[in-house]
Every structure is written in structure tokens, then in C-alpha cells.
Amino acid sequence: DVLSRRCVMMRLVDFSYEQYQKALRQSAGAVVIILPRSISSVPQDVVRQFMEIEPEMLAMETIVPVYFAVEDEELLSIYEQTRAASASQGSASAAEVLLHTATANGFQMVTSGAQSKAINDWLIPSVEGRLTGLGGEDLPTVVIVAHYDSFGVAPWLSHGADSNGSGISVLLELARLFSRLYTYRRTHAGYNLLFFASGGGKFNYQGTKRWLEDNLDHTDSSLLQDNVAFVLCLDTLGRGNSLHLHVSKPPKEGTLQHAFLRELETVVASQFPEVKFSMVHKKINLAEDMLAWEHERFAIRRLPAFTISHLESHRDSLRNSIMDRRARIDTKALTRNTRIIAEALTRVIYNLTDKGAPADLQIFTDQMQIQQEQLESVMDWLSSQPRAAQLIDKDSTFLNTLEYYMGRYLKDVKQHYVKADKRDPEFVFYDQLKQVMNAYRVKPAIFDLLLAVCIAAYLGVAYVAVQHFGLLYKMIQRLSLKTKQQ
């Protein structure tokens, strides 16, 4: 019952927020939450419960270190032995508890890491690439954006499959499709396409914020300065039978963003009637510390923008959870959503509706079809590694691979970097995000006391025995002497 100086171990399947809070209140030495090797094997109700608790765990300030570890045989053995010892103490008599306490094995948990320190020179990288439209210099630009980083209560376990691996997957597939269309003069549209894979999305979209500042405030020529038709942000598109277009301001009729909304409705209604589509209007709340969606960064700078997602609310716990793994992605839904976006975008930039194209016209078929296998392989790659912003720097393998992949289809691919202001930092990252914990099998302190008592008793008995043996030896000597004298 007393947890002070004790390491509390909890398995995810048995995790209780009440027990977690109790451990923190009682100043436990540490809390170790044991995760299964495969999250997909965990019952969905347990996953949902943990995802709902995760934001509260992140928001709660505590001096008790909290660790997450993936289970293995040794760790489960320690857990079972500890649980068995705890259970026996609750139902046994005082004598049995004392005996068990003296003889049972315990474990001392020791971490090898040093005290965490702030990293002052960390760079958050982003990658951009473009496809130049056919025609004059002052062509309108369509910007397609998705943030690549993931987030959760433990950075090394944040794989972010749906949020936002799915968004990056769709962005890369759109880059592939439109690069083919822009290869031939007959299908080369009169729009510039600007693709941006942003970093720091989970930290209030810092990569996008700096990118906008660099392009709008610190340069004389930029595609973002000239004629932006609209900005399409991609976020959480890997499952479900619904799509929502999140806007800060409803688009006006006659604008290209309104035409895109209309085309989305047309494509969904005529080709995918099973999908529920809606527009969600939410004004930007500058009083909140965190923006709701990435398009709000563009809307603040008066650029027409919206975010498309299968989530109806930005507060959905899926967006910031270590439970967001590959198993939660529905590849068919991801492929379908990619096709909906690609079809609607194509109808807009080629003005197909005004040219009399039927609503059920399927553009991406045969050689131009959406490649589900490629989407699957990209999703496998993205979700196979943690992508927390604290783990990805400019030299990371992930970023180099992403830049190479975008370079296969886009022109002028380059990186952008965000570095926190030293005087007034907007974000602070720390090291020691991953540590090794060693478990040493030890006996309890009372065992040493009992052993000392036993040794003292043994020595006492030995001393008494020696004393008695000495008296007996003297008596035998006296008897033998008397016998000789007689």
C-alpha cells in the first residue's frame, strides 16, 4: 500500500488511471508502463481508454519519472513475480508476511541515463518541391501540405500512422500522379503545384509558420507571394467512411476554393456514395496556445486554406497517441480518400465541370490509377519508425529518404529549417528520451537483519557450546587425574 521509493509496474491491459494517479500522489520511485509487442493484439476498448487518458498524462506535471517499455520474457517475469508477491501479502497472516518478506526476491530498478538537458540548437526540418504550370509567369499556385511528425506520451513510441503518416502518403501519391500529368504538354495544367512536407506539426505547426515567414516576409519572389489559389492541408486520412473539409472561413462562391469544395461534393456523391462528406467551419481562436489545424497557419496570413480529414473534430485523441499504429490504417479507405482528393483537384485545375465533363467521370484509371501497393509500402515505411520532432534532425535517415522520394517527382526540392529563438523559445526539446533500465535481483533489507540475527545466534550457540565443552574437558581431566592417583 505504501509506494514511496517503490517502482510501480503496470501492464497496458491492466492500466488504470486511478492507480496511475495514486502512484504519483504517493511519490513512487518511478512508474513503468509495459506495452505489448503488438498494439493490434490489445482489445480496442483498452486502446480507446488509454488514448482518452493520454492527453491528461501529458498535461499532468509530475516529479515522478514515467517510463514506457515494450514487454519481453524477462520483463514479464519480473512483473509476474512482483504481482504474486503483492497478492500473497494481502491475504497471508502476519507471520507468513514476515517470513515471505524475509525470504522473497525483490528487484532493484536502475536507469543508466543522466539528467535530461535542454537542446538549444535543435533544428526542425521541412521539405518542399514544386511542379511548374504551363503558361505565363503569373500562374496561380495550389499548395498541398502535410506535416510528417508524430506525437505521443513517449517520443520513441510515437509512430503516427494515421496522424500524420496517412497525410504524407497521400501527398507523395499526389506528387507522383501530377508529375505524370505535367510531363506531357497536352495534360500540363496552367497551375503551379507546390508540395510542402512540414516539420513541427505537433508543435503548433512551427515548420509551416517559419516557412511562411521566409516566403512572405524575407524574400522578394516566391510562389506564395504571387497568386495562391488555395492551400490544401492533408491530415488523418487513413480510415473511416467520412471526410470533412475544415475551414476557418467558408469559401465564397466564384472562388477556386469554393470550386474545390463543390468538386469534392460531386466526386463523393457520384462515385463514392458510401462516404459521408461535410464542411466543418471553425473560427481561429488566437487565445488558445495551440492551433486546431494546419490550415490556420495559412489563414492567419490571409491565404485561402482548408484541411481535409476523416476526423470531425481537432480534439480527437487519435492525433496525439502512441496507439496510432499501422494496424489502425485501412488501406482501402486510404486509397479511396486519395482518389477522391486527386479526382476533385484534377477537376478544379483542368476546369472539367465547366467543360462539360460528367460528374461520374473517372480520371485516374488504367495506367494512371492510384497505386494501392505503393500507398501500402509508403505507409509501412512511415509507420515502421518513430517520427517525433525531437528525433528527426536534418541528417536523419527518414528525412533524407523523404527528400529523395519527393525529388523523384518534383523539381527544386529543398529543405527548410526552424530553430528556436534563444531569448523567447517557442519550443524546447530535451535529450535522454530513451534510457536503459536494469533490474537487479536483490533480497529485502529485513533479510540482512534476519541473517545477522541468525549468525549472531549461531555464534552465541557456538560460544556456549565451546564454553560447555571446555568445562566438560576440565572435568574429564580432573576425573582422569583422580583415577591415576588412586
Side-chain angles (χ1 to χ4, degrees), residues 181 266-274 336 339-340 342-344 346-347 352 357-370:
L181 288 174
T266 299
V267 172
V268 170
S270 61
Q271 301 182 33
F272 304 95
E274 75 279 5
R336 179 202 64 208
R339 182 167 180 177
I340 291 173
E343 295 273 352
T346 304
R347 294 179 71 90
L352 295 183
D360 58 352
L361 172 66
Q362 297 183 7
I363 303 168
F364 294 97
T365 59
D366 301 327
Q367 291 91 357
M368 284 294 295
Q369 66 181 341
I370 310 296

Side-chain angles (χ1 to χ4, degrees), residues 37 71-79:
R37 290 189 183 94
E71 68 182 20
D72 56 20
E73 292 182 3
E74 290 80 3
L75 188 55
L76 288 180
S77 175
I78 294 172
Y79 175 83

